[in-house]
Every structure is written in structure tokens, then in C-alpha cells.
Amino acid sequence: MMNDANPLHEAALAWIAQDPDPVTREELQALVDAGDDDALADRFSGRLEFGTAGLRGELGAGPNRMNRVVVARAAAGLAAYLLAQGDEPSAVVGYDARHNSDVFARDSAEILAGAGVRVTLLPEPLPTPVLAFAIGRLRADAGVMVTASHNPPRDNGYKVYLGDSAQIRPPVDAEISAAIDAVGPVDELPRSQDYEVADDELTLGYLETAALTVPNGPRTITAVYTPIHGVGAEIMERAAGAAGFAPLIVVPEQREPDPDFPTVAFPNPEEPGAIDLALALARKANADLVLANDPDADRCAVAVPDGASWRMLSGDEVGALLADLLLRRGVRGVYASSLVSSDLLGRQAAAVDQPWRQTLTGFKWLGAIPDLVFGYEEALGYSVAPHISRDKDGVTAALAVLDLAATLRSEGRTLLDRLDDIHRRHGVHLTGQVSVRVEDRSLIEQAMTGLRSTPPSLIGGLAVASVHDLAEGFEGLPPTDGVLARLDGGARVIWRPSGTEPKLKCYVQVVEEVAGDDLAAARSQARRRLDAVTADLSLAL
């Protein structure tokens, strides 16, 4: 029976009164009627905060979920921030094909327009890179992309960009968050349908610009592609065709957008099994290459034949290959990677006197670097064309991989051959990751506290040489929640909570110099050390 004095019930009823969505209204009312205070507390224990990728969370009612009220507040807060910066601000709003993405995008457009922001709404579900490109093409002051990227089907999210087409970063995220806190009941917010819906010119502009990122060269390559039920297929097919490549062989079961992602456990190409259908099709088609985008197509995964089997390249391996491609072309400027990515990029850039920068995790930091010509993070995010946008782009990255693979194929070589060249010159850099997914985020906080108070002295048989609390800042980087340990022999471990999922992640790197051109021996030794370190970390987790 409902208790009117119960503050949880009062909060739920106040939420219901302003909620425009009958589904979430009914959800909350049912919890109130049932007296399910645990479920209500979970939904009202806090509110979603801007993190590595803006807002992101599970769909449902209440401030701790993704829903139309949370989105309306975010849009109103963003509008207030933009209006405080100057007169007649403008914004672009895009969305993917997840549950409620189109609804959240329209709500955002109406509330931004109602507040006095000039708004352009993208016409259909499109990849995040198209939204980032549109910000620059339209000279907008901000952009919003409704997407949860590679999160599970029950999630959605809200990425916010500024006029430089990079994701928001401090102090702007805190300023927008404060503006969101000041928003009153959303049913009182002015709304307007006086906004523009973009035509095909923006998408065509992106395709034309993306195709120009690869120079003329060999184009013979057989590639299997999957968008993993996301929005990348049409854009990727058209971009590859515009660049002169043969039609991609698309995994039919995963080509069309489907917010339930029925063929995968998680719609993340990094997760086991996510590209199994693509690999099976590649074997059948005798393909040279497999490419995969995540559901909003801002990440790119690559798999290649390796003897009688196939293997997926790590994000660090693809990052090294793409950097090598640009450096060989003589592209001059800043090369950058996130702190948890391999240090190999630093050696590659230094070898040709180009600057290398490290940033905190997240493309909001990489995108902010002046004179950036290439940036990547190990989680399959690459920017090979920062002039298009200051964000990761899985479409232009895939085009660059196609270009490199086709060129090497014309020489009778493969991506693995080129990776061998890089390791011979700069040392074998192997990286790995151990992670644990939790239901209770407090477990992650406890683990991080334990690492800071009593860090390990030995990992995988290697002595811990030094420990750095990243919350205190590290080598000029802003403070962040993480711990870095340097091990004897050049190995490194970083622990950090995921910014987008309830995970504790451990990032491992080992480095082995190649003696006497014996690459196999160096790889074998590096593999043994990496396996020993990751085994220890897995046991601890």
C-alpha cells in the first residue's frame, strides 16, 4: 500500500507528473503501488552524470536511468550553457537506431529550439562520425548524438560535442552539469518544432570527404564487413565504393539496424563471439580481411588470416599499422594515444622526428590536441582524419585499413607482414587486458582503494618498480581514477574503472627488444611475460 510520507514515493510521483512518456510513467507507478522501495531507491539514488562519453545508462524511469525526462533536462541544460556563451547559438542533433534514440533526438531538438537555439536534426539514424562531421560543416556551436555506442541493448546514451567537433571535456562538462541541475520540471520547458531537418547533402558531404582520405592506389581486396546490427552498413558500403574499392561482402544476418542485437551477447566487436558470423563468412568467401564497426560506427575492428585460422588484431596493433601508414606518407604533426594504449606509437613518431602526446582515456582528450594528425585509443578508436572531425571515426579508419591491405596485397604482403616490420624496428610491444564486470559499482571503488593502500609488489614474476596514483596527476596529465604500476623489464599495468560500463579494467603492456633479427624469439619471450602478468591479474580479480 502506498505511503504518502515516503520520500521515495513522493519523488516518484513528482517524476510521474512531469514525464511525457506513458511507458516510464507506468513503470514508476507500478513500483509505487507495489511498495518496491529497493527498485525505487535504485532509480532515485542519484542521477546519470557526464562521464567519458556524456550520459549513458540503462533505459528506464528515474534520474538514474536514460529516459525522456533525463534527456529533456540534458537538452535544457545544454541550451542554457550555449545561450550563456553568446547570442543565437546553433546545434546539430543526430541519433542511431537504438530503442528510443529517435524519440530522444526529437525531444532534444524541440527543447533546444524552444530555448532559442538554432537546431538541425539529422534526417535518419546515422553513424556518430556523420554527426561529428556535420558540426564542422554547419559551423555549429554544439552537437548531440543519441547513442550508447557498443553498450548492451538495454542502454542508451547522449554524447555532447562542442563546435570543434570534439566531445565535451572539463570544465565544460561540469558547467553543463550545473545547468542541468538548475532545470525545473520538464513539462514546463518551452518546446518548438521550428528546427531544420537536414537533407542528404550532409551525408553526401561526409561520404565525399571520407573517400578523399585515401589516395589513389591499388584497390584489389576482398573484405567481409559487419555493422553488428548498427547503423554503419549503408555509409560504409557507399564510402568504400566512392573510394574505388570492390563491394564489401556484408554479413546478411547483421546488416540491418536492430536495437535488440539478436545475434550477439554484446554488440561490441571486442567481445568474444561478436564477429564470429563475419569470420565464418570470410572463410567461405576466401576473403583477405574482416572489418567490423560497433553499432554507431565510430570504432573499427580488423581481423586477418593467420596461417590456417583467423585472428582479430588488437586496437594497439591496428593503431601501430595506421600510424605507420601515415608516417610513411610523410604526414607531419602530432601523433597521440591514450595512456592505456601501447607506447609503441611514441617510438614510431620519434623515429621520424614527429611529436607524440599521451592523454587520459577518451577521445575528448585526444580531440583537444592542437595540430593532431593521428590519434587512437586501444579500444578500437582511431582518428586518421582529424580535419573531418576531432573524434574517432570507424568509417575512415576502415577505409585506411582497406587502402593499406590492398597496397600490401599488390606487393604480395599482408598486414601481419607490415606489423613484423614495425616490431623489428621498434621492439615487440604486446598488450593485453583483464576486466571484470560487476553489478555493484562499489566493488570497483573498494578494489581501487585497495590498490592505492596496498599495491602488489610482484606481478607475473616481475617486481613492481614503481606505483603511481593517477588521481594525483601523472606526467602533466589531469587527475583521473586509476593506478599505474611499472614493472621490471619495461612492463606496465594500469587499473582503472570503465567510463562507460560497470567494469574494472587492467591494461598490460610488455616490451621485448628484437636481438639479431630474431623476431620469433622476442615475440615468444614477450608472450610468456604477458601471459604471466595477465594470469596473475585474472586470479586477483
Side-chain angles (χ1 to χ4, degrees), residues 7 40 60 124 133 142 363 464 480 499 502 522 537:
L40 288 171
E124 59 186 338
F133 165 82
F363 248 86
V464 176
T480 189
L537 293 171

Side-chain angles (χ1 to χ4, degrees), residues 20-21 55 59 66-76 78 91-114 117-126 131 143-148 156-160 191-198:
D21 189 338
L55 291 169
L59 291 164
M66 280 296 297
N67 51 67
R68 293 182 67 185
V69 176
V70 165
V71 166
R73 289 171 57 85
L78 175 60
V92 190
V93 179
Y95 58 100
D96 67 6
R98 282 180 176 264
H99 291 295
N100 274 3
S101 285
D102 56 341
V103 177
F104 294 163
R106 284 195 299 271
D107 280 345
S108 296
E110 290 180 5
I111 289 169
L112 286 164
V117 178
R118 289 186 292 111
V119 179
T120 301
L121 176 67
L122 296 188
E124 59 186 338
L126 287 166
L131 179 279
V144 170
M145 183 67 191
V146 181
T147 178
N156 212 327
Y158 201 81
K159 289 185 180 180
V160 179
R191 288 178 177 247
S192 172
Q193 295 184 358
D194 185 18
Y195 58 83
E196 180 181 351
V197 178

Side-chain angles (χ1 to χ4, degrees), residues 223-515:
V224 167
Y225 168 76
T226 177
I228 312 184
H229 301 293
V231 295
E234 183 177 354
I235 292 291
M236 192 64 237
E237 288 173 309
R238 292 170 68 184
F245 294 103
L248 301 173
I249 303 172
V250 183
V251 177
E253 301 94 329
Q254 297 177 331
R255 186 187 188 282
E256 298 305 318
D258 188 328
D260 293 318
F261 307 104
T263 66
V264 294
F266 288 95
N268 180 353
E270 291 181 290
E271 294 283 350
I275 65 168
D276 282 359
L277 288 174
L279 294 176
L281 184 56
R283 295 185 187 99
K284 184 177 179 180
N286 195 27
D288 303 301
L289 187 68
V290 166
L291 296 169
N293 286 139
D294 65 339
D296 69 327
D298 64 350
R299 299 171 191 248
C300 176
V302 180
V304 295
D306 186 12
S309 62
W310 281 74
R311 78 172 176 94
M312 183 169 155
L313 299 181
S314 71
D316 286 313
E317 289 173 324
V318 176
L321 287 166
L322 292 176
D324 180 76
L325 174 68
L326 296 175
L327 289 165
R328 285 171 181 266
R329 287 183 188 159
V331 176
R332 302 184 65 80
V334 177
Y335 288 73
S337 52
S338 61
L339 183 63
V340 297
S341 301
S342 172
D343 294 339
L344 175 55
L345 179 60
R347 295 196 185 190
Q348 291 177 278
V352 287
D353 297 321
Q354 294 304 292
W356 171 57
R357 290 272 306 276
Q358 282 186 300
T359 71
L360 298 182
T361 302
F363 248 86
K364 63 183 179 182
W365 303 108
L366 288 164
I369 294 176
D371 302 318
L372 181 73
V373 293
F374 174 71
Y376 94 94
E377 55 185 7
E378 52 73 41
L380 309 183
Y382 318 96
S383 175
V384 297
H387 63 281
I388 292 181
S389 78
R390 310 287 289 186
D391 196 19
K392 56 187 176 290
D393 183 339
V395 177
T396 53
L399 293 180
V401 172
L402 284 169
D403 177 43
L404 175 59
T407 299
L408 290 169
R409 187 181 186 279
S410 73
E411 300 167 356
R413 309 186 77 227
T414 68
L415 293 176
L416 293 181
D417 293 330
R418 178 56 55 82
L419 200 59
D420 288 348
D421 297 341
I422 295 169
H423 283 171
R424 286 192 182 95
R425 183 177 184 188
H426 302 294
V428 174
H429 290 61
L430 291 189
T431 56
Q433 186 182 131
V434 179
S435 64
V436 59
R437 184 183 295 269
V438 299
E439 293 296 327
D440 182 357
R441 286 182 181 269
S442 68
L443 296 174
I444 296 177
E445 297 173 8
Q446 293 172 25
M448 295 303 297
T449 299
L451 286 167
R452 290 184 169 100
S453 61
T454 54
S457 59
L458 193 72
I459 305 176
L462 299 175
V464 176
S466 63
V467 177
H468 306 272
D469 184 354
L470 302 182
E472 299 174 356
F474 177 72
E475 295 185 351
L477 296 177
T480 189
D481 189 4
V483 174
L484 182 151
R486 296 200 184 279
L487 315 183
D488 285 351
R492 180 203 72 195
V493 178
I494 297 175
W495 296 266
R496 64 174 287 272
S498 169
T500 58
E501 300 174 88
K503 283 183 176 181
L504 176 63
K505 293 185 173 183
C506 307
Y507 303 83
V508 184
Q509 173 182 259
V510 298
V511 181
E512 192 72 29
E513 305 300 334
V514 179

